[in-house]
Amino acid sequence: MGNLADDPSWACQDGVTLRNRGFAVAAGESYRTVVNARGPVLEFDDSFSVEATLEVERGEWGAFTLFGTLPHDPWWEGTHRLDLEWQGVALAFVYWDGSGEQPLISTSYSAPGTSGQVRIGLRREGTQLYVLVEGQKVAQLDDPGMFPEGRAYLGANVPPGAAVYLYEIEAGAPAGREETVKVQSVPDAGTYVPTEPSLRELAGTHGVSIGAAVSATPLRCDPTYAEALRYEFNLVATENALKFGPVHPEPDRYDWRNADDIVDLAEAQGMLVRGHTLVWHHQLPRWIEEGEWTRQELMDVLHEHIVTVVGRYKGRIYAWDVVNEAVDGNELRDTIWLRTIGHEYIDMAFRWAHEADPDALLFYNDYGSEGMNVKSDAIYDLVAGMRERGLPIDGVGLQMHVIAGLAPGHVHENMDRLAALGLQVHVTELDVRIRGTPTATALAIQARTYQHVAETCLAAHNCTALVTWGLSDRYSWIPGQFPGWGAALPLDEAFQPKPAYYALADALRGP
Ligand code: XIL
């Protein structure tokens, strides 16, 4: 069956880097647990054996992990998971049966110590499980029902700061057994089948940019994703790559890899880039959240961050979400920025961004404030005040994470009053979620919501970009954030256009 660690699907996992042979998994500040749900999966009736050759490159241990059932939210609920943790002189066997956060079994077997590569694994023969180190059985136990679906998903786990290199994963029937063990790969989406004309061609006639938020991982590992993106859109937004935590994980270290990949692709394809986001209260690095800051210190940190990030992409990122979600109801949200710096942090952020790239368009971005309500009133007051004070603000981002059939009302009115302040608007994060399995009716309702939002933007002369938060349901953030909801984007999991796609196209085609 070959070396399962060479399967390209591993590159789709966050924290995984492919190597010439196999792949490495590295953790940042928290545990890095990888489960390859789309890659090779073992299917067996009864007996099987699977072994991984690995080396702990950093930290105390690294685990080869087998999932009997895929994880949900919370991570342990209903999840059958076995970590075989290699600790250098011992192998820890940690098994969660899905009933709680504490493992059902947690034992450790001493094993011949190695400083380099080691081969560890598991063999099942009937109801018996054997733990393997260098091909030797080091322990035997009754199977507590680890693989209720007759399959094992492959993965890995490392504690904070650690890294493990998996050279090789081999699976098969135990020697001398006749069982069939199949390795299945979830089929790839395949080639993108374009619909003509593309959304970007249709949008071109209106002078409105049509964009999608992009994640660097599928961009690297899923060719269909990149194809669909290039074909349909003329703008990309950085979904996570430029958030404070991901891009600036340590005080003196920036990690540009993901953002560079996205910006490079955009440049090669003549696409605009929206940078998201400089100041937010989520996805902050630990060093910011846990630091003890004086006002001046935090101002210095934020200044350095903004001029470094904006400066690096000067002339290449045409618009920035400078401040994200700073309003809560009718007041400024209680965040580390507000508490430590005071309300002036917003003005400062815009000034510093402008100083670093005077040509970039600078936006304030928020959710739940697309139409007319208390929150959009507060945002209106905020940006009106900024205009009055002569601050370099060019527009307001309307996120537009909405429910099928429930597009907010009076969006046009809100866009108009912002236009009267001389501000543009961008629809920055459009997705339209559906509860449960999407029926034809739900998809039709969703399509109408997409069409309505697109028509509202096209009708407002100051709405200059329409950006969906992803492109395909295959990689949407919705199921992770709103359990039970999904199917929120115009392309389905297999990159097939949904009614929502055609509705967007219709809106762009005009009346
Ligand atoms: C989301 C991303 O899509 C997820 O991948 C990430 O885990 C959490 O953040 N409003 C925003 C975006 O401004 O940055 C959020 O993006 C979605 C809500």
Side-chain angles (χ1 to χ4, degrees):
M1 282 175 209
N3 178 4
L4 305 182
D6 279 341
D7 197 275
S9 60
W10 288 104
C12 294
Q13 307 294 313
D14 277 343
V16 169
T17 321
L18 294 188
R19 300 244 175 113
N20 279 340
R21 181 163 167 236
F23 61 91
V25 180
E29 292 174 345
S30 31
Y31 285 82
R32 174 76 71 186
T33 309
V34 164
V35 50
N36 193 348
R38 294 213 163 86
V41 178
L42 313 189
E43 297 194 334
F44 41 84
D45 293 328
D46 183 28
S47 300
F48 72 93
S49 125
V50 59
E51 288 172 278
T53 305
L54 56 81
E55 181 169 345
V56 178
E57 293 191 324
R58 204 163 67 224
E60 307 254 294
W61 55 267
F64 172 49
T65 301
L66 298 172
F67 289 85
T69 50
L70 287 174
H72 311 274
D73 191 36
W75 63 271
W76 48 265
E77 177 131 38
T79 302
H80 297 73
R81 162 175 164 191
L82 170 66
D83 276 19
L84 295 171
E85 288 174 12
W86 182 248
Q87 305 175 329
V89 289
L91 181 93
F93 181 104
V94 187
Y95 172 63
W96 290 266
D97 69 346
S99 65
E101 208 170 329
Q102 290 308 315
L104 180 72
I105 304 174
S106 178
T107 48
S108 166
Y109 308 109
S110 61
T114 66
S115 51
Q117 295 181 20
V118 63
R119 188 155 52 98
I120 60 175
L122 188 76
R123 175 177 305 177
R124 186 165 88 162
E125 291 176 17
T127 60
Q128 293 304 294
L129 294 177
Y130 300 92
V131 180
L132 307 174
V133 177
E134 298 297 353
Q136 304 299 311
K137 295 175 176 173
V138 297
Q140 174 176 8
L141 65 157
D142 285 330
D143 181 358
M146 283 189 185
F147 305 100
E149 298 173 358
R151 35 169 73 194
Y153 298 91
L154 306 177
N157 184 33
V158 277
V164 66
Y165 178 9
L166 279 103
Y167 294 87
E168 186 163 30
I169 301 173
E170 280 193 307
R177 288 262 175 173
E178 297 283 300
E179 315 293 336
T180 38
V181 177
K182 280 190 300 187
V183 177
Q184 297 269 334
S185 255
V186 177
D188 229 18
T191 324
Y192 185 61
V193 183
T195 307
E196 285 186 28
S198 64
L199 298 178
R200 66 184 280 174
E201 282 169 278
L202 290 169
T205 60
H206 298 273
V208 172
S209 301
I210 179 102
V214 173
S215 165
T217 308
L219 194 59
R220 277 194 282 270
C221 74
D222 185 339
T224 315
Y225 180 88
E227 255 175 68
L229 185 72
R230 284 195 295 262
Y231 180 75
E232 298 290 358
F233 301 95
N234 54 24
L235 180 154
V236 293
T238 57
E239 182 172 2
N240 289 302
L242 284 169
K243 289 174 181 171
F244 207 126
V247 80
H248 195 172
E250 289 164 39
D252 299 319
R253 187 167 70 85
Y254 286 84
D255 182 350
W256 304 111
R257 180 170 173 240
N258 289 345
D260 279 355
D261 282 358
I262 295 170
V263 174
D264 287 348
L265 165 102
E267 236 157 42
Q269 302 296 324
M271 303 162 107
L272 296 170
V273 185
R274 288 194 95 260
H276 176 83
T277 175
L278 299 168
V279 193
W280 193 26
H281 58 289
H282 283 310
Q283 290 176 268
L284 287 169
R286 276 244 286 271
W287 66 273
I288 290 279
E289 273 183 339
E290 292 174 3
E292 302 246 339
W293 304 104
T294 64
R295 179 171 192 268
Q296 188 59 47
E297 281 166 354
L298 197 61
M299 280 167 54
D300 291 345
V301 163
L302 186 59
H303 178 251
E304 191 271 346
H305 176 82
I306 290 177
V307 299
T308 306
V309 176
V310 175
R312 179 181 178 89
Y313 298 106
K314 182 173 190 287
R316 305 175 73 197
I317 290 190
Y318 94 115
W320 277 100
D321 288 330
V322 178
V323 175
N324 197 35
E325 303 181 355
V327 173
D328 185 14
N330 65 357
E331 56 189 13
L332 288 183
R333 184 185 297 277
D334 181 24
T335 66
I336 185 172
W337 309 113
L338 182 70
R339 280 192 303 277
T340 317
I341 301 178
H343 68 269
E344 303 90 335
Y345 83 87
I346 297 177
D347 289 6
M348 291 172 185
F350 277 82
R351 271 206 204 92
W352 294 334
H354 185 66
E355 160 194 322
D357 186 354
D359 295 327
L361 297 174
L362 304 184
F363 279 71
Y364 174 82
N365 189 49
D366 216 324
Y367 66 92
S369 48
E370 294 84 2
M372 298 294 284
N373 56 34
V374 168
K375 185 167 176 179
S376 67
D377 289 350
I379 291 169
Y380 175 84
D381 292 343
L382 173 76
V383 298
M386 292 172 71
R387 292 290 284 177
E388 242 165 52
R389 292 193 295 284
L391 282 148
I393 177 167
D394 301 285
V396 172
L398 310 179
Q399 290 188 8
M400 208 71 81
H401 295 290
V402 300
I403 291 175
L406 292 178
H410 304 281
V411 175
H412 189 69
E413 212 176 310
N414 192 32
M415 289 179 172
D416 275 353
R417 67 172 166 174
L418 294 166
L421 294 175
L423 293 171
Q424 303 187 24
V425 296
H426 286 174
V427 173
T428 51
E429 304 183 15
L430 172 62
D431 55 21
V432 181
R433 59 189 182 272
I434 291 174
R435 195 187 199 111
T437 315
T439 59
T441 313
L443 290 171
I445 293 171
Q446 175 185 56
R448 282 204 291 278
T449 307
Y450 265 99
Q451 181 147 6
H452 176 72
V453 171
E455 284 171 355
T456 307
C457 173
L458 293 170
H461 73 272
N462 64 327
C463 184
T464 47
L466 178 64
V467 183
T468 53
W469 205 239
L471 48 157
S472 147
D473 293 338
R474 197 173 174 99
Y475 302 108
S476 163
W477 75 303
I478 292 291
Q481 180 71 20
F482 302 95
W485 296 79
L489 289 163
L491 302 176
D492 72 9
E493 296 243 354
F495 291 92
Q496 300 296 312
K498 292 156 65 179
Y501 173 91
Y502 296 108
L504 268 184
D506 278 350
L508 291 168
R509 231 175 242 118

